[in-house]
Amino acid sequence: MNNSVSGTARLLGAGLRALLVLTLVTGVIYPLVVTGVAQALFGDKANGSETRADGKVVGSSLIGQSYNLPLKKGQQTPEPDLKWFQGRPANGLGSNGINTRYKLLLSGATNLAADNKVLIQQVKDAKAAVIKDNSVPGYTVKASEVPADAVTSSGSGLDPAISPQYARIQAHRVAEKNGLPVARVAKLVKDHTEGRTLGFIGEPRVNVLELNIALKDLLAKH
């Protein structure tokens, strides 16, 4: 009996030591090493790809933002603030309906098929709005010029970038709303157009947040 008890105690002691060692290695040392390497080599990405303006964090280069006017009394859907460049539609976004203590946005796609009548109408409405909002005196947007990203949301609904074509369409409206020469705004778009990753992955794109930060700086100097 004594041998059995002592054997059990030794096994329990060995198990406890193994648990403590594994906890230390996997729960403390490994996370510290990974965090340290990430901060040293990939600090920007490890911290959420922060975008800064005026010395403070204003967003992430990975997440799109809305540029809307404040809601009016009785208004359910905010209107876009047309003095700023606008991002892609965010039809796939949802809201947190379970824990109502926190106002959260849930990313996602619409999950509507290409021939779904609701989706087709959304695209038609979005296209009409793009043409109307971006047509200004001396410049009229043609239906054939409206790119797909101007009327459809991304899979996550949080795409931070738009196509150069959509940015160029908006340049005339942004210039008119802010009293700027179109050429100055068009140059902003050109300067903030990124090429394909590694030269062949993805498509050319313009980060809307970074473009609007540059627009704000331009307005401050104008």
Side-chain angles (χ1 to χ4, degrees), residues 142-184:
K142 299 177 182 177
S144 59
E145 295 175 330
V146 179
D149 63 290
V151 297
T152 57
S153 59
S154 63
S156 67
L158 298 172
D159 193 344
I162 57 176
S163 65
Q165 172 67 7
Y166 188 26
R168 287 193 292 266
I169 285 176
Q170 297 187 62
H172 296 265
R173 180 252 300 159
V174 170
E176 194 267 340
K177 292 291 184 182
N178 291 288
L180 294 170
V182 175
R184 294 285 299 276

Side-chain angles (χ1 to χ4, degrees), residues 13-210:
L16 181 59
R17 287 193 297 273
L19 175 62
L20 292 175
V21 170
L22 289 173
T23 299
L24 180 64
V25 172
T26 62
V28 179
I29 297 176
Y30 178 73
L32 287 177
V33 170
V34 171
T35 301
V37 171
Q39 288 293 334
L41 301 180
F42 314 102
D44 175 64
K45 292 180 175 58
N47 292 326
S49 300
E50 297 171 340
T51 298
R52 293 178 175 272
D54 300 325
K56 60 183 180 181
V57 177
V58 295
S60 168
S61 63
L62 303 176
I63 301 176
Q65 296 190 20
S66 298
Y67 293 87
N68 296 326
L69 295 169
L71 282 172
K72 299 176 183 177
K73 186 176 181 180
Q75 193 177 36
Q76 298 296 322
T77 303
E79 298 175 359
D81 190 343
L82 297 179
K83 71 179 183 180
W84 302 106
F85 285 93
Q86 297 292 315
R88 296 184 64 171
N91 297 327
L93 293 181
S95 58
N96 174 31
I98 299 176
N99 187 350
T100 55
R101 179 179 177 183
Y102 300 100
K103 185 177 181 180
L104 302 175
L105 286 178
L106 308 179
S107 68
T110 61
N111 290 328
L112 299 176
D115 60 351
N116 184 280
K117 292 181 179 180
V118 173
L119 178 61
I120 292 172
Q121 190 60 49
Q122 286 179 353
V123 170
K124 287 182 178 179
D125 292 344
K127 192 170 188 176
V130 169
I131 294 172
K132 176 178 178 293
D133 290 343
N134 293 287
S135 294
V136 296
Y139 175 77
T140 301
V141 179
K142 299 177 182 177
S144 59
E145 295 175 330
V146 179
D149 63 290
V151 297
T152 57
S153 59
S154 63
S156 67
L158 298 172
D159 193 344
I162 57 176
S163 65
Q165 172 67 7
Y166 188 26
R168 287 193 292 266
I169 285 176
Q170 297 187 62
H172 296 265
R173 180 252 300 159
V174 170
E176 194 267 340
K177 292 291 184 182
N178 291 288
L180 294 170
V182 175
R184 294 285 299 276
V185 180
K187 187 176 185 302
L188 280 184
V189 172
K190 182 178 179 181
D191 291 344
H192 287 81
T193 297
E194 304 174 35
R196 292 179 172 87
T197 304
L198 301 179
F200 66 94
I201 300 175
E203 296 293 333
R205 58 201 177 276
V206 181
N207 186 290
V208 179
L209 172 58
E210 294 172 1

